[in-house]
Amino acid sequence: MSNKKKKVYTWSDIDTRVNLLASILKKQERQLTHITGIPRGGFIVATMLSHKLRLEYVSDYEQACKIDPQNLLLCDEINDTGKTLKKYTSIKPFNKCVTLVIDEKLSSDYSADYKAVIHQDHYWIEYPWEKK
């Protein structure tokens, strides 16, 4: 990471992007009822969106298996390569769920259903919860 360009997000940046995603989702016809996140950053995004969209937060796998996957929103903070989202969406019940990320790299092998920002540049993104 030392030779890569770096973009540092503030909590205000995150809130702006989460608000944008919430606004987009409110206009969709999808009947989302539940939300969950991919550890670790996805938990934060999912929690913020659960409050804004009034979706029930799913905290464990057994609970997720009882939900119609088409009504489940799976969140992560970034889709960098596509590896993580591919892994999760290959497992039931996540294989038919709706996916959302704050940031998506154009070079990713997977495209999330919803994203706040698409990045063409290859730089490291530091989120406020990652600061030491």
Side-chain angles (χ1 to χ4, degrees):
M1 183 186 82
S2 59
N3 294 335
K4 284 188 179 182
K5 292 186 282 183
K6 184 173 164 181
K7 182 165 183 68
V8 179
Y9 280 173
T10 65
W11 282 108
S12 179
D13 294 329
I14 299 302
D15 200 44
T16 298
R17 286 158 177 79
V18 168
N19 284 335
L20 170 66
L21 290 163
S23 173
I24 291 168
L25 285 167
K26 285 178 183 177
K27 295 175 186 173
Q28 301 301 307
E29 294 182 16
R30 295 183 189 258
Q31 296 299 315
L32 297 172
T33 57
H34 294 78
I35 190 167
T36 193
I38 296 173
R40 299 179 300 184
F43 287 160
I44 297 164
V45 176
T47 300
M48 292 174 77
L49 279 169
S50 73
H51 293 291
K52 293 181 185 301
L53 298 172
R54 294 191 168 104
L55 297 176
E56 185 177 336
Y57 188 86
V58 177
S59 59
D60 62 62
Y61 181 74
E62 288 81 23
Q63 184 183 8
C65 289
K66 297 175 185 173
I67 299 164
D68 179 346
Q70 294 178 350
N71 297 335
L72 178 63
L73 181 60
L74 177 66
C75 303
D76 207 1
E77 81 276 28
I78 188 166
N79 177 16
D80 196 1
T81 64
K83 185 177 176 182
T84 302
L85 283 172
K86 279 185 189 178
K87 175 183 165 186
Y88 274 83
T89 57
S90 69
I91 302 167
K92 287 185 179 184
F94 305 118
N95 59 332
K96 294 183 181 176
C97 70
V98 180
T99 56
L100 174 146
V101 295
I102 292 177
D103 297 290
E104 183 165 279
K105 299 281 179 84
L106 194 57
S107 59
S108 173
D109 291 338
Y110 185 96
S111 180
D113 296 307
Y114 297 97
K115 46 249 176 198
V117 182
I118 299 173
H119 301 275
Q120 292 183 345
D121 289 336
H122 297 283
Y123 48 80
W124 184 262
I125 299 173
E126 183 179 287
Y127 295 91
W129 52 86
E130 296 174 330
K131 294 179 182 170
K132 296 177 183 173

